Amino acid sequence: MEERLDGRVNEVVRVGATVRRLTGPWTPAVHALLDHLAGQGFTGAPRAHGTDPQGREVLDHLPGDVPDYPLPGWARADAVLADVARLLRAYHDATAGFPADPAREWYFPPRNPVEVICHGDVAPYNTVFREGRPVAFIDFDTAHPGPRVWDVAYAAYRFVPLSDPRQLPGFPVDGQARRLRLFADAYGLDRPGREALPDTVRDRLAHLVAHMREQAAAGHPGFAHHLERGDDRFYLTDDEHLARHRDTFRAALLTPRV
């Protein structure tokens, strides 16, 4: 029996203790990454089990809660934010020894400097929670080699969150700045990463909007739907918010603790 699960872009079905998803040219690289994570003892990702007779990839189904917007109150707690940052750091550290292979094909091309394998879409809708605490990331399709701050920036954007409060109420600018510092501290982000973080969030949003528009123009129905409901305009408004308050966010990240 197949149970269809919610997917933001791709079709996902559950079959017993596994999930099945369509494959792409990047699937062998992702499965090699998941095998590497398992070998490193990292438990915060599903294991890969090849493909089924229909050619779909087979992955562990990880039980738990996967929140989406509007986020429940528990998902916006400071403790959750810090735990996500620590889980992301553990994931990155587990990928640091993943052997480089220029023949591998990724969903997104590698970004320099290559330090880790970025997940590419760390967000509440790709995080499994149990008893209100994050335990795993899912949906590794967009994984690709890159710098730590590239992944940290998008995760911070989603979990702080760093959206314009007029679009996503909950935390005013001073609250966002405080939580951004909390995220960076819990991750253990170094000073160069902190200096780059606010601008990298903006770069990440520009990359997202360009990708959405490119995929929609190529006929991808999921991305076309996102544009129809105005997701690109939402992200561009958030980019303007980040530009207005860049100095506030940088000060929060770089001011020494007393």
Side-chain angles (χ1 to χ4, degrees):
M1 293 291 293
E2 295 190 356
E3 173 192 356
R4 183 165 181 171
L5 304 177
D6 290 335
R8 295 174 67 86
V9 175
N10 300 316
E11 278 194 17
V12 184
V13 299
R14 179 180 177 183
V15 180
T18 67
V19 295
R20 314 293 172 97
R21 308 168 76 249
L22 296 178
T23 59
W26 54 84
T27 301
V30 171
H31 285 198
L33 171 63
L34 295 177
D35 289 345
H36 173 81
L37 293 173
Q40 293 293 306
F42 179 74
T43 61
R47 299 190 69 167
H49 303 286
T51 57
D52 68 7
Q54 298 182 46
R56 301 173 299 185
E57 67 172 340
V58 181
L59 305 164
D60 287 340
H61 175 262
L62 301 181
D65 300 314
V66 180
D68 206 344
Y69 300 101
L71 294 180
W74 59 263
R76 300 160 74 95
D78 283 359
V80 166
L81 182 69
D83 281 349
V84 168
R86 285 188 280 265
L87 181 61
L88 181 59
R89 178 59 187 253
Y91 162 69
H92 282 165
D93 289 351
T95 73
F98 185 64
D101 183 350
R104 287 196 182 100
E105 185 169 352
W106 301 93
Y107 187 92
F108 291 124
R111 297 184 68 88
N112 290 318
V114 172
E115 298 170 336
V116 297
I117 306 299
C118 295
H119 176 283
D121 195 9
V122 172
Y125 50 77
N126 281 332
T127 306
V128 178
F129 291 81
R130 296 183 194 132
E131 298 181 354
R133 308 309 285 267
V135 296
F137 299 127
I138 56 175
D139 193 357
F140 282 75
D141 275 4
T142 55
H144 58 285
R148 290 175 182 266
V149 70
W150 186 247
D151 238 9
V152 170
Y154 192 69
Y157 169 72
R158 289 293 188 182
F159 278 96
V160 168
L162 293 172
S163 288
D164 189 319
R166 293 171 297 181
Q167 296 200 117
L168 192 63
F171 295 100
V173 173
D174 58 347
Q176 291 180 354
R178 179 188 64 80
R179 282 169 57 84
L180 182 60
R181 174 62 181 257
L182 173 62
F183 192 88
D185 287 352
Y187 179 89
L189 192 63
D190 61 14
R191 184 175 180 86
R194 291 168 189 260
E195 292 174 344
L197 185 53
D199 290 336
T200 304
V201 179
R202 297 189 63 201
D203 291 343
R204 189 64 178 79
L205 291 180
H207 179 273
L208 174 59
V209 169
H211 179 66
M212 290 170 58
R213 291 175 172 173
E214 177 184 282
Q215 291 295 308
H220 193 299
F223 287 103
H225 173 65
H226 290 176
L227 294 188
E228 288 170 3
R229 71 185 183 189
D231 287 10
D232 55 341
R233 296 189 298 276
F234 183 95
Y235 297 132
L236 292 174
T237 297
D238 285 349
D239 175 67
E240 294 170 359
H241 166 73
L242 287 157
R244 283 195 302 273
H245 301 290
R246 177 180 183 270
D247 291 347
T248 298
F249 294 138
R250 279 179 56 85
L253 287 163
L254 297 172
T255 300
R257 293 291 190 193
V258 178

